[in-house]
Amino acid sequence: MNIKRGLFRMWLVLSVIWIVGAIFSSWDSIKLDEWWSDDPNVYADLPVPCDKARGTEGRDYSQRPAPEPWNAVRNPGFACWYGEDKFRILFSFYDGDSHGKVSKMLYGELGWEPAEGMDKFRRTKPVIMAALIPPLLVFAVGAALVWAFSGFRRPKAS
């Protein structure tokens, strides 16, 4: 029986199961990243100038300041914020446009500058780290233990 080969195969099978499980359990988060969806902030709220707001405050939208400090000091420094679902219902003429395009247009209408250059892999990186680091640590510890215990082996008679 070859213990080294058996341990390596067991590590390989368990590592694949771990990696697939980590990615599968975090798939909803990964899909929100810009590299995957090609649309930044897919579920972020959309700002509308309050003089053009539709619906009822508190139910359809909320009045809040700009999230970026450089926009909060502008005039206006606040907007009426809609969730994606409410916005699409009340402003149906934007239906053909992506969330990112609509967000940029609304920011321009407010005279705001959107935050650009965010990390496209912000949610994916921690998932990859959580998926790969534990199997690599287990491999390193296992290899060290196999190496250490191989020192107790009887020398081969020649």
Side-chain angles (χ1 to χ4, degrees):
M1 179 163 68
N2 189 338
I3 292 180
K4 282 189 213 177
R5 187 179 301 148
L7 287 173
F8 178 75
R9 288 179 179 175
M10 187 180 351
W11 170 82
L12 189 63
V13 169
L14 292 175
S15 293
V16 168
I17 291 170
W18 176 267
I19 291 168
V20 169
I23 291 173
F24 180 76
S25 67
S26 303
W27 191 248
D28 290 336
S29 177
I30 291 172
K31 288 191 312 185
L32 294 178
D33 266 351
E34 189 175 344
W35 72 272
W36 176 264
S37 67
D38 199 32
D39 194 9
N41 301 321
V42 177
Y43 295 107
D45 289 345
L46 294 164
V48 173
C50 287
D51 59 341
K52 295 182 180 179
R54 298 179 180 185
T56 308
E57 185 174 1
R59 189 182 66 186
D60 298 319
Y61 66 89
S62 61
Q63 191 173 354
R64 298 192 311 256
E68 305 88 3
W70 59 88
N71 289 329
V73 295
R74 293 177 185 239
N75 188 13
F78 62 92
C80 293
W81 294 85
Y82 289 85
E84 178 81 17
D85 54 342
K86 293 285 186 180
F87 181 83
R88 295 293 178 177
I89 292 169
L90 295 169
F91 298 90
S92 59
F93 47 90
Y94 287 109
D95 276 348
D97 298 326
S98 71
H99 181 91
K101 183 177 178 183
V102 171
S103 181
K104 284 181 184 177
M105 289 178 1
L106 292 171
Y107 263 69
E109 196 172 320
L110 285 159
W112 292 357
E113 294 178 27
E116 300 278 342
M118 292 182 61
D119 187 4
K120 292 182 175 189
F121 303 96
R122 185 171 46 116
R123 294 174 187 91
T124 304
K125 285 179 184 176
V127 172
I128 296 299
M129 300 268 286
L132 295 180
I133 288 178
L136 291 174
L137 286 175
V138 168
F139 180 78
V141 169
L145 288 174
V146 167
W147 174 78
F149 282 112
S150 69
F152 295 108
R153 196 176 333 156
R154 291 183 195 158
K156 293 182 179 179
S158 40

